Amino acid sequence: MTNNRYLWAVGKDLEELPTTELIKGRYQIVKSRSTHLWLDTLPDLAPEVPDKLEPVKPYLLLHPYQLHLPQLYGVCSLEHTPEILLLENVPIDRTGQLYPSLLSTWEKATPVRQLYWLWQILDLWTPMAEVGVTASWLDPENIRVEGWRVRLTQLHSAQTATLEDLATTWQALLPGTSSPVREPLSQLIQQMPEVNLETTIEALNQLLLQQAALQPLRLRVVGATDAGPQHLQNEDTCYPLLGDLPSNNQTYDPLIPFLSIVCDGVGGHEGGEVASQLAVETVKLQIRALLKEVSEDPQLMTPELVAEQLQEILRVVNNMIAGRNDEQQRESRRRMGTTLIMALQLPQQIATTQGKRNSHELYLVSVGDSRAYWLTEEYCHLLTVDDDVANREVRLGRSLYRQALQRVDALALTQAIGTRSADNLSPKVQRLIIEEDGLLLLCSDGLSDHGRVEESWQGLMVEVTGGKITLEKAVEQLLSIASQRNGHDNASVVLTYCSVTPEYPVLLNADQKSLVNLGLPQEQDSFLFPASAQLLYEDSEPSLATPETAQSNLGKRVAIGAGVVALTFLVGLGLWSVINPTSFQQQWQRIFPTRSSLDRPQ
C-alpha cells in the first residue's frame, strides 16, 4: 500500500503553478484532474504550519466534525504567492478521484437517503454558523457524498449564509426528488425563510424517520474480549459477550441486540477492571429505564433530548466509579476509570403508512479513545474522535493536528469515566440513521491502534456479506489481528450486523430462539423484537421472561397461518423461478445454504 497522500489545495492563482515539477520538492499537482488536487510524495515529512492560526481557525474549531469536514494538513509558502492551505480528510478516494457531488447523485438516491443528506447539513449548520462558514453549503460542487454521509471539499467564509440562502439552493433539488417526499419537502423548503432552524430540523426529522421506518430492520450482535499475549489481566469489558446471547437454557436479555458497549479500564489490576465492569452494568440498568420511558411516552423524543438523557446516564456512571474511588481513597493516577463507546439502536415508534415502525435511530456515545466504525463493502467510516491531547489542541484552536502529534503526550487521554467529577465529563453523542446494510464495529484501542481496522476491514466485509464466515468468526478474526499485529494491550470487539434489505419469506421452525436470532418480528405490524416487547411493556407478571410462554402464544398464531404461509411461499417460489431464474438461484443459495442459516448474519 502506498504512503502517498492526496490533498486539496486552497489558494489563489493555482493554475499558474508549474505542473511538470514538484512544488517545494514534495507536492505534485495532479492537473489532469484538478489544479486543486495535490499529491504529497513525502507524507512522512512534517508539513509547514501557518505563521498565524487565526485565519485558519474554522478548520481547527470544527475538528470534532471530521466525519463530514476536511482538516488542515499544513500550508505551502511560495514567493509572491499567498499562503496555500493544504487540506486532508477530503472527499477523495484512494485513486485520487473526488467522490460525486450531491447534485449529480441526487436523482439516483432513495427517498430516505435524500432526506438524510439534508438532515446532516442542518445538523452541522449551528457549529458552522458559529465560525462563519455556512456559505460552504451554497456551492453545489463543494458538497460531495460518500454513500450515506455528506462531505465538504473545503470551507467557504467569504459570506454568512442564511437559511433563506440554503432554501434557495435546495429548490434546485426538488425536480429530482423522489416522488414520495417531493411535496412535503417542497413545503418545508418554502417555510424555511419564515421559521427558525429548530422548527426546520424538527420537520425534516419527522419526514426522515417516516421514510427510514418503511424499511425493515434486522440486527444481530456478537462481542468478545481478549487479554492479549502480553497480559494476564483483562481490564476491558464489553457487552454483549457470547455468554450473554440466547441459548436453549437461558432467558432473553431484552437489551440484545439494541445495546452494545466497549469499555477499556484504566487504573491497573483491581482498578481498570472494576471500573469497566461497573460502567457496563450501570449503563445497562440505566438504558433499561430509558427504554421503558420511551415506550410509555407517545411523543417522539427529539435527538437533542435523547442526547441529554444519554449524557446524564454517563454522569451517573461516572459518579458511581468516582464514589468507589473516594471510598478506597484513591488519588491522582491511582484513581480507576474507563473509556466507553456505546451504541444504542433506539426503537422509537414512528407512524407510517404501514403502521407503527422502528425509527432506525442509532445513537453513539463516546468518552476516551475506544472507537466506532461503520463498515460496508465500499467504505470504512471512523465515526468517533478520540479524547486525547492531540485532538484537544486542535479543537481549542491551538495547533494543527500533524503538529500536535509531535507532542510527547499526544495520545494521552483527556477524559475518562470515573477519574474526576461528573462536572468535568463531556460525553460526545451523535445520531445516525440506519438506512443501508452494514457492520457497526465497536472496539478498544487494542484493535484500533496503528490503523489495524483500516487495514483489515475490506477483506472482512467481503467474507461476512458473502456468507463465508459467521459474525462470531469475524469477531475472532479481529481479536486475532489485535493480538498478532498490536499485542500490547487488551482488546475488545462488538460487531452488530444491520440489515434493511427486504428478504423473501422463509419457512422456519417457528420457535422463539430462531425468531430472535434472525431478528424477525413476531407479528407483521410489530416493530419490536420479542425481547424488546418484554422490556418496553413488562408488567408484574413474570411470564414474559421465558421463551416457553412466548412460544405458546406464538404457536396459536403459527397454527392458524402456517398453511396460508406455506402455500403462498411455494407459489411465489414457482413464479420467481420462471420469471427470473438467475436471481432465483442466487437467493436459493442464500436461503438454503449448506450450513445452518443461524450461522450467518441476518
Side-chain angles (χ1 to χ4, degrees), residues 148-168:
W148 60 271
R149 70 166 166 165
V150 169
R151 304 184 65 181
L152 287 180
T153 307
Q154 65 186 71
L155 301 180
H156 294 313
S157 56
Q159 65 185 59
T160 300
T162 64
L163 280 182
E164 184 175 2
D165 297 324
L166 185 64
T168 301

Side-chain angles (χ1 to χ4, degrees), residues 365-562:
V365 191
S366 60
V367 174
D369 58 0
S370 294
R371 292 181 173 183
Y373 295 84
W374 179 255
L375 310 177
T376 70
E377 291 189 43
E378 286 75 38
Y379 39 73
C380 166
H381 294 159
L382 173 59
L383 304 174
T384 52
V385 178
D386 296 346
D387 288 321
D388 58 26
V389 170
N391 283 305
R392 181 197 66 190
E393 292 301 293
V394 182
R395 175 175 51 83
L396 295 178
R398 299 197 288 231
S399 173
L400 274 64
Y401 185 66
R402 299 286 157 188
Q403 183 183 16
L405 283 177
Q406 305 305 312
R407 294 176 54 125
V408 176
D409 62 347
L411 302 182
L413 290 178
T414 54
Q415 67 170 348
I417 297 175
T419 56
R420 296 183 293 173
S421 165
D423 295 336
N424 299 309
L425 190 69
S426 299
K428 175 69 181 300
V429 180
Q430 58 191 122
R431 187 190 74 157
L432 307 173
I433 299 297
I434 303 174
E435 52 90 56
E436 67 175 358
D437 294 357
L439 274 180
L440 176 68
L441 165 63
L442 306 187
C443 66
S444 61
D445 62 346
L447 172 63
S448 62
D449 277 355
H450 308 299
R452 301 309 181 200
V453 174
E454 289 80 356
E455 291 175 358
S456 58
W457 69 271
Q458 201 160 29
L460 181 77
M461 282 303 301
V462 170
E463 290 187 314
V464 170
T465 57
K468 296 180 180 178
I469 62 172
T470 65
L471 207 56
E472 290 83 357
K473 188 64 177 179
V475 169
E476 291 176 12
Q477 285 191 9
L478 289 171
L479 288 178
S480 178
I481 291 170
S483 177
Q484 296 175 14
R485 304 182 68 180
N486 282 342
H488 60 281
D489 199 358
N490 312 142
S492 293
V493 171
V494 181
L495 283 176
T496 303
Y497 190 93
C498 307
S499 176
V500 299
T501 302
E503 291 190 343
Y504 294 95
V506 180
L507 287 180
L508 297 170
N509 292 329
D511 62 276
Q512 184 87 348
K513 176 175 180 292
S514 297
L515 293 172
V516 173
N517 282 346
L518 290 173
L520 300 173
Q522 291 189 52
E523 298 182 16
Q524 187 175 4
D525 61 349
S526 173
F527 76 103
L528 290 175
F529 289 83
S532 298
Q534 172 195 339
L535 169 64
L536 299 181
Y537 302 107
E538 66 181 347
D539 52 26
S540 58
E541 296 296 326
S543 59
L544 287 177
T546 62
E548 290 77 8
T549 305
Q551 181 178 343
S552 175
N553 295 332
L554 177 63
K556 297 176 182 178
R557 294 192 295 271
V558 171
I560 296 173

Side-chain angles (χ1 to χ4, degrees), residues 64-68 116 119-120 123-124 148 303-304 306-308 310-311 341-344 361-366 370-373 381-386 427-433 440:
Y65 303 95
Q66 57 192 261
L67 181 63
H68 307 283
Y116 193 20
W119 185 86
Q120 291 171 58
D123 191 47
L124 290 163
W148 60 271
E304 293 76 19
V306 175
E308 291 174 4
L310 294 175
Q311 289 173 331
I341 177 67
M342 175 178 79
L344 174 65
E361 295 171 284
L362 177 70
Y363 286 87
L364 295 177
V365 191
S366 60
S370 294
R371 292 181 173 183
Y373 295 84
H381 294 159
L382 173 59
L383 304 174
T384 52
V385 178
D386 296 346
K428 175 69 181 300
V429 180
Q430 58 191 122
R431 187 190 74 157
L432 307 173
I433 299 297
L440 176 68

Side-chain angles (χ1 to χ4, degrees), residues 46-81:
E48 290 181 77
V49 297
D51 294 330
K52 297 179 180 180
L53 291 180
E54 193 61 34
V56 298
K57 273 289 185 68
Y59 287 102
L60 306 183
L61 300 179
L62 292 171
H63 181 74
Y65 303 95
Q66 57 192 261
L67 181 63
H68 307 283
L69 307 181
Q71 298 172 259
L72 185 58
Y73 180 73
V75 298
C76 180
S77 301
L78 301 172
E79 291 185 9
H80 312 299
T81 302

